C-alpha cells in the first residue's frame, strides 16, 4: 500500500473564555506525538483563523501572532514526522471554505482507502493541494455539508466512505466536533476544564489545566462540545474495537490514561510479565531511556534484581528512528546514548527496551556496554517481534525493514551481539494491557488486520465494513 501514514496528536476546545493560548499549552503536552509541524485554528467570533508551521509547537505557532487572536473555540494538531513527508504543505489543521463558512480539520491516523477515494474524486474533477489523507477527509465532509448543512450528518456520511484509523477534531465555524473511527485505533478523550470542555489525543493535555478526564470517545462516536455540554452521537453499529497496542507500549506518554488503562501501569506490567516469561541470572536491570524505562522498572520489580541507570541520553539529539539511511541512524544512536561506566564495568547486565523494529538501536547499545566493561549483556523487549506493516498510523511501513521477518530470535540475538534475548509473548502483552484480545489491534505482530486491506488477511472470518 502507498499513501500517507502518520500518528499525530489532536486537540479541540470550547470554553467560556479565550482558548487560543490554552490550545497552544495542550499541544505542548502532546508534543511527543509529533514534532514535524503544528497548527491551531480558532473561531474569532466572525471567522476561522489558522496558524501553522513546521517544527515544534513553540516554533511553529508562537511567532505567528496567534496568541493575539481571541476566540472561544478551536482545534489544534501536532504532526508526526516520517522520512518521506513534505512537512510544510501537510501541516494541519486543514482549512476548507464552503458556502456556509469554514471547516478546519485535525487528524490522527491513516485512511486505508485513500488512494482509491482520491482517484475516484480526481476523476470527478476535484483537485488536491497535498498528498495528505486529511485534505481528502475535509473535502468529503465539505461535499456532504454543502448538500445538507448538517455537520453531524456530513461527518456520518464521510465515515461511510473512509476506512482505516482516524481520531479527528473538527471546527465548523463556531462548532467543535470530535470523531473516532469505528475501531478506536487511535485514542481520543474528553475532559472538563471548569469553564468548558477539551477533546485530546491523550489525557495529559487535560491534566495541565487541573481538569477532569471525563471519558474516552467511544469507537464510532461523534461528539460535539460547547462550553457547557457534550452532545453525543453514538455509533449504531457495534464493532469489536481495535485499540493500537503500540500506543501503550511506545507512543503515548506514561502518565496518560488511554481507554481506561494508564500507560505507565501497562508498561510496568509488561516488564513484570517479561521477568516471569524470560528470567535471567544478572546483576543489574537497566532501561534503554526514555522509552524502555517503565518496562525495565517492571522487570526489576518482577525479578527482584536491582535497577540502575546505565545510559545517559542526550535530550537534544535528533530522533534516530526516522532518519533516512542506516549509517545516519547508527551514528545518531551514538550521539544519543552514552554508558555510565561505573555502573556497567564488570557487571552482568540486562537491558530492557520497548521494541525492536530494525534492530539499529540495540546493535549499538550492546556494543557500547561491552566496550564499557560489561561482563554479559542480556536484552529483553516489551513488545513481541514486529513482523507486519502498520496501515493505521505508525510509521512502520514495509516487511523487509523488520529484523524479525528475516531472522529467528536466536539469530537476532547473535546479530545484536547479546548473550540472550527475550521478547514478551503476545498473550503476555494482552494480559498487561488488560483488555480482551479482540479489542486490541495486534496486526503488526500477527499479520491479522482488523479492517479490509488489499493483499492482507482480515482478523475475522466474516468481513465487517463500515455501514451507516
Ligand atoms: P530499531 O532501532 O530497532 O529500528 O527501533 C527500535 C527503537 O526505536 C526503540 O528504542 C523504540 O523506542 C524506537 N521506536 C520504535 N518505534 C518507533 C517509532 O514509530 N518512532 C520512533 N521515533 N521511534 C520508534
Ligand atoms: Mg527507544
Amino acid at each position: 500500500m502507498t499513501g500517507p501514514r502518520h500518528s499525530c496528536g489532536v486537540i479541540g476546545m470550547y470554553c467560556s473564555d479565550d482558548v487560543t493560548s490554552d490550545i497552544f499549552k495542550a499541544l505542548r503536552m502532546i508534543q511527543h506525538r509529533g514534532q514535524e509541524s503544528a497548527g491551531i485554528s480558532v473561531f474569532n467570533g466572525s471567522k476561522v483563523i489558522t496558524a501553522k508551521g513546521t517544527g515544534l509547537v513553540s516554533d511553529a505557532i508562537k511567532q505567528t501572532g496567534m496568541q493575539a487572536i481571541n476566540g472561544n473555540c478551536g482545534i489544534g494538531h501536532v504532526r508526526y514526522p516520517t522520512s518521506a513527508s513534505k512537512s510544510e504543505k501537510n501541516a494541519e489543521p486543514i482549512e476548507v471554505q464552503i458556502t456556509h463558512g469554514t471547516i478546519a480539520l485535525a487528524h490522527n491516523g491513516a485512511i486505508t482507502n485513500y488512494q482509491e477515494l482520491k482517484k475516484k474524486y480526481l476523476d470527478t474533477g476535484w483537485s488536491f493541494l497535498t498528498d495528505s489523507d486529511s485534505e481528502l477527509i475535509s473535502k468529503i465532509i465539505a461535499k456532504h455539508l454543502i448538500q445538507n448543512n448538517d455537520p453531524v450528518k456530513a461527518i456520518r456520511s464521510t465515515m461511510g466512505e473512509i476506512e482505516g484509523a482516524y481520531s479527528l477534531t473538527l471546527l465548523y465555524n463556531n462548532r467543535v466536533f470530535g470523531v473516532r473511527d469505528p475501531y478506536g485505533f487511535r485514542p481520543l478523550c474528553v475532559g472538563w476544564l471548569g469553564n468548558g470542555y477539551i477533546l485530546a489525543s491523550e489525557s495529559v493535555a487535560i491534566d495541565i489545566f487541573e481538569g477532569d478526564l471525563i471519558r474516552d470517545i467511544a469507537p464510532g462516536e461523534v461528539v460535539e462540545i460547547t462550553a457547557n455540554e457534550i452532545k453525543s452521537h453514538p455509533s449504531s453499529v457495534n464493532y469489536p474495537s481495535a485499540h493500537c497496542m503500540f500506543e501503550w507500549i511506545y507512543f503515548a506518554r506514561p502518565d496518560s490514561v488511554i481507554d481506561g488503562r494508564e500507560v505507565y501501569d501497562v508498561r510496568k506490567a509488561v516488564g513484570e510479565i517479561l521477568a516471569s516469561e524470560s528470567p535471567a541470572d544478572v546483576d543489574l536491570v537497566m532501561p534503554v531511556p526514555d522509552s524502555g524505562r517503565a518496562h525495565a522498572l517492571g522487570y526489576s520489580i518482577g525479578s527482584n534484581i536491582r535497577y540502575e541507570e546505565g545510559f545517559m541520553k542526550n535530550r537534544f539529539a535528533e530522533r534516530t528512528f526516522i532518519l533516512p539511511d542506516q549509517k545516519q541512524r547508527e551514528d545518531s544512536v551514538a550521539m544519543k546514548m552514552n554508558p555510565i561506566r561505573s555502573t556497567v564495568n564488570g557487571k552482568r547486565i540486562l537491558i530492557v527496551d520497548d521494541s525492536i523494529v530494525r534492530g539499529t538501536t540495540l546493535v549499538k547499545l550492546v556494543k557500547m556496554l561491552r566496550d564499557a566493561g560489561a561482563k554479559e549483556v542480556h536484552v529483553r523487549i516489551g513488545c513481541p517481534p514486529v513482523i507486519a506493516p502498520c496501515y493505521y498510523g505508525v510509521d512502520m511501513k514495509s516487511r523487509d525493514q523488520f529484523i524479525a521477518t528475516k531472522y529467528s530470535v536466536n539469530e537476532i540475538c547473535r546479530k545484536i551481539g547479546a548473550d540472550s534475548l527475550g521478547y514478551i509473548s503476545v498473550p503476555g502483552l494482552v494480559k498487561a494491557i488488560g483488555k480482551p484480545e479482540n479489542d486490541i489491534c495486534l496486526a503488526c505482530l500477527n499479520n491479522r488486520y482488523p479492517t479490509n486491506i488489499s493483499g492482507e488477511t482480515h482478523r475475522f472470518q466474516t468481513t465487517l465494513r463500515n455501514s451507516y
Side-chain angles (χ1 to χ4, degrees), residues 250 288-292 313 336-337 353-354 361:
Y250 169 79
V288 176
D290 292 308
S291 52
K313 182 173 173 176
K336 209 155 114 178
M337 249 27 123
D353 202 359
D354 62 285
T361 310

Side-chain angles (χ1 to χ4, degrees), residues 300-341:
S300 163
I301 292 168
S303 62
N304 255 320
I305 301 169
R306 187 185 165 97
Y307 177 93
E308 283 270 8
E309 294 280 337
F311 293 103
M312 263 305 123
K313 182 173 173 176
N314 178 353
R315 259 169 222 221
F316 305 100
E318 69 221 315
R319 290 162 50 109
T320 310
F321 193 83
I322 54 150
L323 291 173
D325 78 67
Q326 189 59 18
K327 172 87 176 65
Q328 285 179 35
R329 284 194 290 266
E330 283 172 24
D331 291 349
S332 145
V333 176
M335 260 298 281
K336 209 155 114 178
M337 249 27 123
N338 196 37
I340 299 172
R341 283 182 173 68

Side-chain angles (χ1 to χ4, degrees), residues 212-234:
D212 299 317
L213 168 62
I214 296 173
R215 63 178 178 90
D216 296 284
I217 305 304
E221 187 184 14
V222 178
V223 296
E224 176 171 10
I225 54 167
T226 67
N228 41 41
E229 190 180 15
I230 307 170
K231 287 183 224 160
S232 167
H233 306 272

Side-chain angles (χ1 to χ4, degrees), residues 139-149 154 157-158 161:
K139 285 189 170 154
I140 298 178
I141 295 174
K143 175 190 84 168
H144 291 295
L145 261 178
I146 292 162
Q147 286 159 11
N148 54 32
N149 200 26
S157 306
T158 305
E161 293 189 47

